[in-house]
Amino acid sequence: MATDVHRPVTETVTGPAPEAARVLDGAAVRVRGLGRAFGGRAVIDGLRLDVAPGEFVALLGRSGCGKSTLLRVLAGLDREVEGQVLVPRRKAVAFQAPRLMPWKRVWRNVLLGLPGRPERGLAERALAEVGLGHRADAWPKTLSGGEAQRASLARALVREPDLLLLDEPFGALDALTRIKAQKLVAELWQERGCAVLLVTHDVDEALLLADRALVMENGVIAYENEIDLPRPRDIADPRFADLRAQLLDRLGVEGVHSAVGQ
Amino acid sequence: MTVDQAAPAGAAPPRAERPVAPRTPVSPTAGPRTGPELVPVVPVSAGHRSAPRWLRRAVVPVFLLALWQVLSASGALESDILASPGSIARTAWTLVSDGTLPSAMFVSLQRVAVGLVIGVLAGVLLALASGLSRLGEDLVDPVVQMLRSVPWVGVIPLFIIWLGIGEAPKIALISLGVAFHLYLNVYAGIRGVDAQLVEAGTSLGLGRWGLIRHVVLPGALPGALTGLRYSLATAWLALVFGEQVNADDGLGFLMNQAREFFRTDVIVVCLVVYAALGLLADFIVRTLERLLLQWRPTFTGR
Ligand SMILES: Nc1ncnc2c1ncn2[C@@H]1O[C@H](COP(=O)(O)OP(=O)(O)OP(=O)(O)O)[C@@H](O)[C@H]1O
Ligand SMILES: [Mg+2]
């Protein structure tokens, strides 16, 4: 209870803040019995999740299974939940759409919401990290899809989060740009050492980046798989194909892919 | 499963002897291949070498003006009905040089300005109140929506009874029209701000005031400027109505006076002035939009 790294996002924040806040040994996220229902239909139901500090976790699951909902809960954007949710105070989100404020130039977007009067240089350094140093003065409308997504990443990273939440951040990018963006995220994650929760539909992406892949189903984490491949990872690695087959199988994708592994 | 196509060697389909129509109309081996007929894609710049656009657009108005002048000169169009363009131009010159028109314009502009300021303030404040808070919405919006269905020009008699026949009823009328337009557009603008951006702002750590300042208000700005443009148009309309009823100075007074003496030339001059001032106001709003809305993806003003 020395530092308040952790803060519950549940509605039970009624207690005095110092008591509610706590440091858990070896956890960046701790979720117990999480429930979230929309109009009586439970989308998340009794979910349990732990993420270690600095761990990279990929969250997979069929469309509509509640991945984004879980991410929004962890981000503190959805508080109509039941159960216990502990997340770091410093967390940042990058959404599937970049969600830059169109009326602010890129560098102002990066600094938006930071406490105090942050300097422009801070934004420029963050933008340089994602290879956008030269676009600091641009309007968001003039950025390409990949550039906007990187700007959004810079905006998340400049907050120096202990937990980075990524909701299909590369979903809308073309294959080539996506590979570059994945590399970038891997590098930044290794530099920063923050915990990452990456929602993705792309099994290969999960296998390339994550320490652990989770599959969400029926409102809970139904399956998880350690990915203890050495980094940097190689798609051609036979163990990679094996893991991919297992995950695809778990996701209910029948056919060529799962056949390859068996 | 179509057996015809994927027939294995052993199981010949019963209709195999029937000649199957070729799937590709032109077989690659059937003689020299003739490509499709090619047509050039003409670059825009190399297109028609006709007169410039502005010239073409000016043709019809100039023709109508000439026709009008001819009709007036030949006596077919009497000056009691409509003065000729030439005499209107002369009248305009006299009205300007003897100071009548400038002073009338000044009076009218002053009315619009004061009415506009009051209307803008009232409209924006009410819109902020009901756009930014539930309580404000419940208190303000029903009343505004109810009053909106009253045609605002129709309240002139009431205003005259309440406020007399001086400046007050005219300014009140202008303010009323302006405030309604602005209220509706700013309110819609605030409520139309992308919820995803608000959520992103929240995730970045913006508080309520930060969200209002950095997300909601900038997001409502395009709507507000549209509202401003409409309310300027409304302000002119309110001015014309207000000054027609009773006035002893201003453009409306000039027109009323002209009516009594069948001075169609003066009336047309005043109409032209109204139109010119309207255009000027529109230009000002456009300039504002160009300065304030550069960020808009749909922006095409440059
Ligand atoms: N605000 C809401 N109101 C009602 N239902 C909602 C709401 N948000 C999400 N849902 C429902 O909750 C379920 C899970 O949604 P969620 O967005 O978490 O899915 P997802 O796993 O992220 O899917 P995808 O992979 O397609 O993005 C869906 O069935 C969705 O219809
Ligand atoms: Mg989703």
Side-chain angles (χ1 to χ4, degrees), chain A residues 210-223:
Chain A
D211 297 318
R212 194 152 54 103
L214 311 176
V215 177
M216 199 170 162
E217 217 176 83
N218 299 328
V220 294
I221 307 296
Y223 177 76

Side-chain angles (χ1 to χ4, degrees), chain A residues 56 94 125-133 145-157 164 166 169-170 173 175-194 196 198 205 208-209 231-232:
Chain A
F56 199 129
R125 282 192 294 281
L127 285 167
E129 267 192 292
V130 299
L132 272 183
E147 285 174 335
Q149 205 53 264
R150 279 184 282 153
S152 160
L153 196 59
R155 183 174 69 174
L157 287 170
L164 179 60
L166 304 172
F170 318 126
L173 303 183
L176 214 67
T177 316
R178 187 181 321 168
I179 292 173
K180 283 189 192 158
Q182 286 166 352
K183 277 218 173 91
L184 180 68
V185 165
E187 280 167 25
L188 292 171
W189 167 68
Q190 266 161 352
E191 267 168 41
R192 303 295 186 103
C194 57
V196 179
L198 169 74
E205 183 170 292
L208 276 174
L209 294 172
R231 296 172 191 265

Side-chain angles (χ1 to χ4, degrees), chain B residues 41-50:
Chain B
V41 174
V42 186
V44 192
S45 56
H48 18 251
R49 224 159 272 252
S50 60

Side-chain angles (χ1 to χ4, degrees), chain A residues 38 41 43 61-70 96 168 201:
Chain A
F38 291 108
R41 190 172 61 92
V43 170
R62 295 188 196 197
S63 177
C65 72
K67 302 182 296 294
S68 299
T69 306
L70 174 60
Q96 174 160 14
E168 301 183 40
H201 276 130

Side-chain angles (χ1 to χ4, degrees), chain B residues 168-187:
Chain B
K170 301 176 188 65
I171 288 173
L173 192 66
I174 295 171
S175 305
L176 190 71
V178 167
F180 270 118
H181 267 301
L182 221 58
Y183 172 85
L184 292 174
N185 282 281
V186 174
Y187 174 67

Side-chain angles (χ1 to χ4, degrees), chain B residues 8-28:
Chain B
R15 287 174 290 136
E17 58 270 58
R18 209 188 74 190
V20 181
R23 302 257 151 175
T24 47
V26 182
S27 144

